Amino acid sequence: MGFDPATLKYDAAGLMPCVAQEAATGEVLMVAWMNAASVAATLATGKVTYWSRSRGAFWVKGETSGHHQRLVEMRVDCDRDCLLVLVEQEGPACHTGRKSCFYTAVRGGEEVEILEVSHGGTSGEA
Amino acid sequence: MGFDPATLKYDAAGLMPCVAQEAATGEVLMVAWMNAASVAATLATGKVTYWSRSRGAFWVKGETSGHHQRLVEMRVDCDRDCLLVLVEQEGPACHTGRKSCFYTAVRGGEEVEILEVSHGGTSGEA
């Protein structure tokens, strides 16, 4: 059936979490939020477009940093309340300059940084 | 530094999203929610333990279905408001009997089921 972003189940703020996974490697890069309009924009443009909760505005990933995410495929979960986007990521996904936002592991009860900074970080959202 | 689940940034309901990824394959299996107590329980027991928003109760993954998730590693994102758990998944992660909850892809504007049911589904949470 045709896909309509309005049929997804958003939270009280009209948002749902979206996991970005690098298509080529399977690495989970980040989790951010989308509303129905950003889902539609992502599909229409091929540029992954989140909703920034802190800025209250659309957030075309890479718009300010140049670290774009090109959509390879969008997937919807069984409850229709979460998204997975497979992407081609240009540069680091994390605003700290690391490839993934998940660079802190819990090992033996301690926090351990497992990814190096590959690019200069950005001061705001990437 | 020592990891304390209380230092993470939960939402107004005391929850944060957690992405479960199969450690061996990189496949994203599901997204569910954890509170501080379920983060602590997951680390203490090695059994991935979510908080069920619908039941308002701890949800030890596989407790009723037998489809356990064994924790391989927990990771925290840069904003400390999202978790990634690398897991060993026994049987399907999805309550529909599919390996992953993300079995619906959006291709050419249509919804397409891309994963087959490998096990009988469960009526409730898996």
Side-chain angles (χ1 to χ4, degrees):
Chain A
M1 64 178 201
F3 175 69
D4 179 357
T7 64
L8 301 180
K9 293 176 188 155
Y10 303 91
D11 68 12
L15 300 172
M16 70 175 61
C18 177
V19 181
Q21 181 180 34
E22 190 171 56
T25 64
E27 187 164 353
V28 173
L29 300 174
M30 59 183 284
V31 172
W33 297 79
M34 289 195 180
N35 58 18
S38 58
V39 171
T42 298
L43 290 168
T45 65
K47 297 177 183 176
V48 179
T49 303
Y50 301 102
W51 180 260
S52 167
R53 296 178 300 171
S54 57
R55 290 187 293 121
F58 289 108
W59 167 25
V60 181
K61 178 71 180 165
E63 195 172 33
T64 56
S65 65
H67 302 151
H68 301 278
Q69 282 181 349
R70 195 182 74 75
L71 181 69
V72 175
E73 183 163 282
M74 182 180 287
R75 296 182 186 163
V76 179
D77 85 341
C78 53
D79 292 332
R80 301 180 73 78
D81 63 2
C82 188
L83 296 166
L84 172 67
V85 287
L86 306 183
V87 303
E88 286 177 6
Q89 172 69 46
E90 198 172 320
C94 185
H95 74 286
T96 64
R98 294 174 179 88
K99 181 175 178 183
S100 165
C101 295
F102 293 97
Y103 58 81
T104 304
V106 181
R107 294 180 178 170
E110 302 289 318
E111 295 191 21
V112 182
E113 282 196 17
I114 57 173
L115 294 180
E116 291 182 0
V117 174
S118 55
H119 285 62
T122 56
S123 57
E125 285 170 308
Chain B
M1 66 177 198
F3 175 69
D4 178 357
T7 64
L8 301 180
K9 292 174 187 157
Y10 303 91
D11 68 12
L15 299 172
M16 71 175 59
C18 176
V19 181
Q21 182 180 33
E22 190 172 56
T25 64
E27 187 164 354
V28 173
L29 300 173
M30 58 184 283
V31 172
W33 297 79
M34 287 194 181
N35 58 18
S38 58
V39 171
T42 298
L43 290 168
T45 65
K47 297 177 183 176
V48 179
T49 303
Y50 301 102
W51 180 260
S52 168
R53 296 177 299 172
S54 56
R55 289 187 293 122
F58 289 109
W59 168 25
V60 182
K61 177 70 179 166
E63 196 172 33
T64 55
S65 65
H67 302 150
H68 301 278
Q69 281 182 349
R70 194 182 75 75
L71 181 69
V72 175
E73 184 162 281
M74 183 180 285
R75 296 183 188 162
V76 178
D77 84 343
C78 53
D79 291 332
R80 300 180 74 77
D81 64 2
C82 188
L83 297 167
L84 172 66
V85 287
L86 306 183
V87 303
E88 287 177 4
Q89 173 69 46
E90 198 172 318
C94 184
H95 74 286
T96 64
R98 295 174 178 85
K99 181 174 178 183
S100 164
C101 294
F102 292 97
Y103 58 81
T104 303
V106 180
R107 293 180 178 170
E110 302 287 319
E111 296 192 21
V112 182
E113 282 197 17
I114 58 172
L115 294 180
E116 291 183 0
V117 174
S118 56
H119 286 62
T122 57
S123 56
E125 285 172 309

